[in-house]
Amino acid sequence: MRRGSRRGDILDAFTAMVAERGYDGTNFGDLAAGLGLSKGTIVHHFGTKEQLLTELHETYMRRRLAEVRVVWDALPGPAQRLAAFLHLGVRYQVVDRTATIAFQREVRRFAAAPGMETSRGLRDEYRQLVVSVLTEGERTGDFRPGDARLRTLQLFGSVHWMWTWFDPAGAEPVAAVAASYVDTYLGGLLADPSRAADLADPAGAVVAVVDEALAAGRAVAGLDADEDVGPS
Amino acid sequence: MRRGSRRGDILDAFTAMVAERGYDGTNFGDLAAGLGLSKGTIVHHFGTKEQLLTELHETYMRRRLAEVRVVWDALPGPAQRLAAFLHLGVRYQVVDRTATIAFQREVRRFAAAPGMETSRGLRDEYRQLVVSVLTEGERTGDFRPGDARLRTLQLFGSVHWMWTWFDPAGAEPVAAVAASYVDTYLGGLLADPSRAADLADPAGAVVAVVDEALAAGRAVAGLDADEDVGPS
DNA sequence: CAGGGTTGACCGTGCGCCCGGTCACACCGC
DNA sequence: GCGGTGTGACCGGGCGCACGGTCAACCCTG
């Protein structure tokens, strides 16, 4: 609505194209053609292709951190918090799908790129939150002792791999995937594994908070519907 | 040492470059320069860049399936087999590192590409083995009931994400990572979680078989040392 | 001398980015 | 109200380059 709606359109289209084709496969020509404007206009707004990517990454991570803040405040215990993180991670395959794919498919490649310091900082912040939840849970005795960093990376891996196979139009609903992941993962961590079922339950308290966080996030972003962009 | 040493050299160099820069970042010019020959020679041997990638993928998957066959024969129970799969998956970050990174960093992108049918078939075969181990283990009562496919994908995810962060020269030895992953994952699956520690143990029976399988695989490939190629 | 291995000049294409310029509009003193 | 001045979105052609791939000729080796 404001000045710069054009800018937003360009970033959105860029995001969609990166999700479909990857960064290298995305070019100004097709992007401009799809938007009905010229290559020069895109350059005018963003300067370089790299800048487009930087903004994509930063806005993405900021949305994620905002959501985490909500669950963090609403859920006290480390077990609930960890379960919520996992539920959230899985939900991104549907909630903010296009951006999620665009972001996840090549994160590693751009992690060390110049100009990406900010977004890398945000990612570190996110990861650190999970690590601290794990160490906290070990301290309280909720979790069996173990390496918090490795466990974090194990969790991140399963979530970051999802864009690879998950089909939002498929038979398997996201909630079911999240439930399965939480059940298995938390089952392996909890000192009392019988608690896992409750934390995984799609109708349980944890998921209720997760839904709330996602709704809040969508409100901030301006309720952009998540279209069904499938990567190629 | 290998038949068509020239061809082998080119494929090895290609693999190393893809691991470092990705497929798009890999070009004939640099590749040829690095090998001390001309672009034309590479084209003469392989025809297209795509062909290089196809061979990389197929040889990679064949090596992996050969290893799996060894553990499959040596280990009877589903719990042991599953643990061995995970140990193997983690070990690839060191054993066949360069090829592993070249393979994993963009698998998804080329999954549906024409000419990749064979390698995709091999990947399906590999995945199906894990799924069948999981269903078998559920039948025998070793594992708690759950969705075998989702659990497989969860496992694959954590393993496929490793190239992203694992540093073979770092303080954390692979065996420790594997132990942690197995302990957590199997702990979440087993009807009797106390069995997990034994399956994860780096000095245990499962790992012994895994080592054997990897040694056998390396013998077939012609004992190429695994250099420390770090992705960028 | 046959034929595979190798060369290096060359081609066509696609892409990121630049740049001179148009146009609509807001703001100004008069 | 009106000419003048500035601003910023947008255009579109094109430069320069890098890359995948071609090709005709050369050089060994058996």
Side-chain angles (χ1 to χ4, degrees):
Chain A
M1 315 294 147
R2 270 261 313 265
R3 186 216 79 181
S5 71
R6 247 356 191 198
R7 243 186 93 92
D9 289 349
I10 294 172
L11 189 53
D12 286 349
F14 175 77
T15 302
M17 197 171 286
V18 170
E20 275 181 71
R21 313 182 182 180
Y23 181 75
D24 289 325
T26 298
N27 67 301
F28 285 3
D30 291 355
L31 197 57
L35 286 162
L37 35 81
S38 87
K39 292 193 290 176
T41 302
I42 298 177
V43 176
H44 169 73
H45 282 293
F46 291 90
T48 66
K49 194 177 168 184
E50 217 182 86
Q51 178 61 22
L52 251 328
L53 188 72
T54 302
E55 295 201 19
L56 160 53
H57 278 218
E58 291 183 14
T59 56
Y60 184 78
M61 281 312 302
R62 268 185 238 284
R63 267 173 278 158
R64 296 299 82 92
L65 283 167
E67 286 152 5
V68 162
R69 242 163 260 133
V70 175
V71 309
W72 193 271
D73 291 343
L75 297 170
Q80 283 100 333
R81 281 181 178 170
L82 187 62
F85 268 107
L86 230 186
H87 277 289
L88 276 174
V90 171
R91 293 297 203 81
Y92 298 149
Q93 295 301 320
V94 165
V95 175
D96 198 9
R97 179 164 181 75
T98 311
T100 298
I101 296 175
F103 177 82
Q104 292 182 346
R105 69 180 290 165
E106 294 172 289
V107 219
R108 176 49 164 83
R109 196 180 143 193
F110 301 108
M116 290 300 236
E117 295 78 14
T118 307
S119 95
R120 195 171 64 245
L122 297 170
R123 288 207 301 129
D124 288 345
E125 189 180 338
Y126 194 95
R127 186 176 343 104
Q128 195 47 47
L129 284 171
V130 179
V131 172
S132 68
V133 164
L134 275 161
T135 39
E136 166 74 3
E138 190 177 333
R139 204 183 51 77
T140 59
D142 284 294
F143 302 146
R144 296 160 45 214
D147 188 318
R149 184 173 148 269
L150 290 183
R151 284 170 166 179
T152 300
L153 264 359
Q154 185 174 8
L155 181 156
F156 273 54
S158 33
V159 168
H160 273 92
W161 186 244
M162 270 194 74
W163 73 270
T164 281
W165 58 268
F166 185 76
D167 175 12
E172 204 91 58
V174 238
V177 179
S180 172
Y181 275 28
V182 171
D183 183 63
T184 302
Y185 186 70
L186 269 290
L189 287 187
L190 290 165
D192 171 15
S194 66
R195 290 175 61 198
D198 200 39
L199 296 169
D201 184 8
V206 171
V207 173
V209 171
V210 166
D211 284 332
E212 194 185 312
L214 289 173
R218 218 159 342 171
V220 169
L223 61 121
D224 49 346
D226 0 32
E227 59 278 37
D228 46 287
V229 173
S232 62
Chain B
M1 310 298 139
R2 231 174 296 182
R3 190 217 74 190
S5 71
R6 250 340 187 219
R7 243 186 92 94
D9 288 350
I10 294 172
L11 189 54
D12 287 350
F14 176 77
T15 302
M17 197 171 285
V18 170
E20 275 181 71
R21 313 184 181 178
Y23 181 75
D24 289 327
T26 298
N27 66 298
F28 285 1
D30 291 354
L31 197 57
L35 286 161
L37 35 81
S38 81
K39 287 199 298 175
T41 302
I42 297 176
V43 176
H44 170 73
H45 282 292
F46 291 90
T48 66
K49 193 177 169 184
E50 216 182 86
Q51 178 62 21
L52 251 330
L53 188 72
T54 303
E55 296 200 20
L56 160 54
H57 277 219
E58 290 183 14
T59 56
Y60 183 79
M61 280 313 301
R62 268 184 238 285
R63 266 174 279 158
R64 297 298 84 89
L65 283 167
E67 286 152 5
V68 163
R69 243 164 259 134
V70 175
V71 309
W72 193 269
D73 290 344
L75 297 170
Q80 283 100 335
R81 282 181 178 169
L82 187 63
F85 268 107
L86 230 186
H87 277 289
L88 276 174
V90 171
R91 292 297 202 82
Y92 298 150
Q93 295 301 320
V94 164
V95 175
D96 198 10
R97 180 165 180 75
T98 312
T100 297
I101 297 174
F103 178 83
Q104 291 181 346
R105 68 181 290 165
E106 292 171 293
V107 218
R108 175 50 163 84
R109 196 181 142 191
F110 301 107
M116 291 298 239
E117 296 79 14
T118 306
S119 95
R120 195 171 68 245
L122 296 170
R123 287 207 302 129
D124 288 345
E125 191 181 335
Y126 194 95
R127 186 177 341 104
Q128 194 49 44
L129 283 172
V130 179
V131 172
S132 67
V133 164
L134 275 161
T135 40
E136 167 72 4
E138 190 177 335
R139 204 183 51 77
T140 59
D142 285 293
F143 302 145
R144 295 160 48 215
D147 188 317
R149 186 173 147 269
L150 290 183
R151 284 170 165 179
T152 299
L153 264 0
Q154 186 175 7
L155 180 156
F156 273 54
S158 31
V159 167
H160 274 91
W161 186 243
M162 271 193 73
W163 74 270
T164 281
W165 59 267
F166 184 76
D167 174 12
E172 203 92 59
V174 236
V177 179
S180 172
Y181 275 29
V182 171
D183 183 64
T184 304
Y185 186 69
L186 268 292
L189 287 187
L190 290 166
D192 172 14
S194 66
R195 291 175 60 199
D198 201 38
L199 297 169
D201 183 7
V206 172
V207 172
V209 172
V210 166
D211 283 333
E212 193 185 313
L214 289 174
R218 217 160 342 170
V220 170
L223 60 121
D224 49 346
D226 1 30
E227 60 277 45
D228 47 289
V229 174
S232 65

